Amino acid sequence: DAGVIQSPRHEVTEMGQEVTLRCKPISGHDYLFWYRQTMMRGLELLIYFNNNVPIDDSGMPEDRFSAKMPNASFSTLKIQPSEPRDSAVYFCASSYLTSGRETQYFGPGTRLLVL
Amino acid sequence: AQTVTQSQPEMSVQEAETVTLSCTYDTSESDYYLFWYKQPPSRQMILVIRQEAYKQQNATENRFSVNFQKAAKSFSLKISDSQLGDAAMYFCAYRGAGGTSYGKLTFGQGTILTVHP
């Protein structure tokens, strides 16, 4: 398996622009997670899905952030409008719930810079 | 809410020596999982080792082992025979086994490990 795939790997945009991050989870996994990593706040869970349904979005910082999972093999995280404080590395992770063996596998991350 | 604390921002070790990274956590749950992830300069998050709270036996994976002290809520990582490739940021993480925290990983602040040749 190719692992969790994220695109783009790097994104540079200007303040006010819309940014869309993409994720393809590992085939067969039923949980998908979006994390953000910054120097100030470390690794934070933004939102996660179970069988394409959002379960907990309490980590989403504000209404400018939205996430969707239209099918089991694709998810997006959108920021509109983007701000410089959104600059961070965004990770997508997926897992498969089997009793006692659930482990999250992370994608390579998207490094976002908002100017 | 669960919290994870790594009190060592930085650690260093000589190649071939042993180093221990500390982690403590706070939870009211009785069933949970603990993890150590490694993040090299590439930023990729790599699972190093995991521990189920219901298991008394400490997990081991080759040169990596943990000292899990449930009563003390302590979960340290020991790296034996350190190699240059072990240099990375190491994160301790907690995941509840049920309830509202199910599926959510809570991370510590990380420990930067430097390996000297």
Side-chain angles (χ1 to χ4, degrees):
Chain A
D1 200 313
V4 177
I5 299 172
Q6 290 187 247
S7 64
R9 295 291 305 276
H10 303 274
E11 178 79 27
V12 180
T13 190
E14 293 187 346
M15 183 173 63
Q17 297 297 307
E18 177 180 295
V19 175
T20 299
L21 310 181
R22 298 173 175 79
C23 175
K24 176 179 170 57
I26 293 172
S27 178
H29 282 192
D30 57 354
Y31 278 78
L32 184 139
F33 306 82
W34 282 102
Y35 292 90
R36 177 172 70 175
Q37 184 178 30
T38 62
M39 288 292 293
M40 292 296 295
R41 300 176 67 88
L43 272 159
E44 306 173 275
L45 176 66
L46 299 178
I47 185 171
Y48 74 99
F49 297 82
N50 175 216
N51 291 325
N52 314 336
V53 176
I55 301 301
D56 185 346
D57 66 354
S58 59
M60 296 285 262
E62 49 197 276
D63 292 344
R64 297 185 298 106
F65 285 70
S66 62
K68 295 182 180 180
M69 192 166 185
N71 57 63
S73 59
F74 184 66
S75 177
T76 60
L77 178 67
K78 185 175 294 185
I79 308 172
Q80 167 63 21
S82 58
E83 296 182 3
R85 60 193 169 121
D86 302 329
S87 298
V89 180
Y90 291 81
F91 289 99
C92 176
S94 71
S95 67
Y96 175 60
L97 174 58
T98 52
S99 179
R101 298 304 303 169
E102 185 266 351
T103 296
Q104 291 184 26
Y105 295 90
F106 283 73
T110 294
R111 187 185 295 266
L112 173 65
L113 178 60
V114 182
L115 302 173
Chain B
Q2 292 78 23
T3 59
V4 178
T5 302
Q6 293 177 248
S7 58
Q8 305 156 318
E10 297 183 32
M11 291 285 285
S12 64
V13 64
Q14 290 293 132
E15 196 175 6
E17 297 296 310
T18 295
V19 64
T20 298
L21 308 184
S22 301
C23 173
T24 58
Y25 57 94
D26 187 25
T27 184
S28 58
E29 297 175 313
S30 59
D31 196 14
Y32 48 87
Y33 299 89
L34 296 164
F35 305 84
W36 279 98
Y37 279 88
K38 170 185 176 181
Q39 187 178 44
S42 67
R43 292 276 189 171
Q44 178 79 48
M45 293 289 287
I46 303 166
L47 177 68
V48 175
I49 199 166
R50 58 174 276 153
Q51 174 79 43
E52 293 88 344
Y54 63 85
K55 288 186 177 180
Q56 292 187 335
Q57 186 174 8
N58 289 325
T60 62
E61 287 287 343
N62 301 314
R63 297 182 296 106
F64 299 87
S65 62
V66 299
N67 183 5
F68 173 49
Q69 301 290 327
K70 190 172 184 179
K73 296 181 181 175
S74 171
F75 182 61
S76 61
L77 174 69
K78 185 171 81 171
I79 306 174
S80 304
D81 186 24
S82 297
Q83 301 176 359
L84 295 177
D86 295 335
M89 174 83 89
Y90 286 81
F91 291 95
C92 178
Y94 169 101
R95 181 179 77 74
T100 57
S101 67
Y102 184 76
K104 299 168 65 169
L105 276 177
T106 300
F107 287 90
Q109 305 92 320
T111 297
I112 299 173
L113 177 66
T114 302
V115 181
H116 298 289

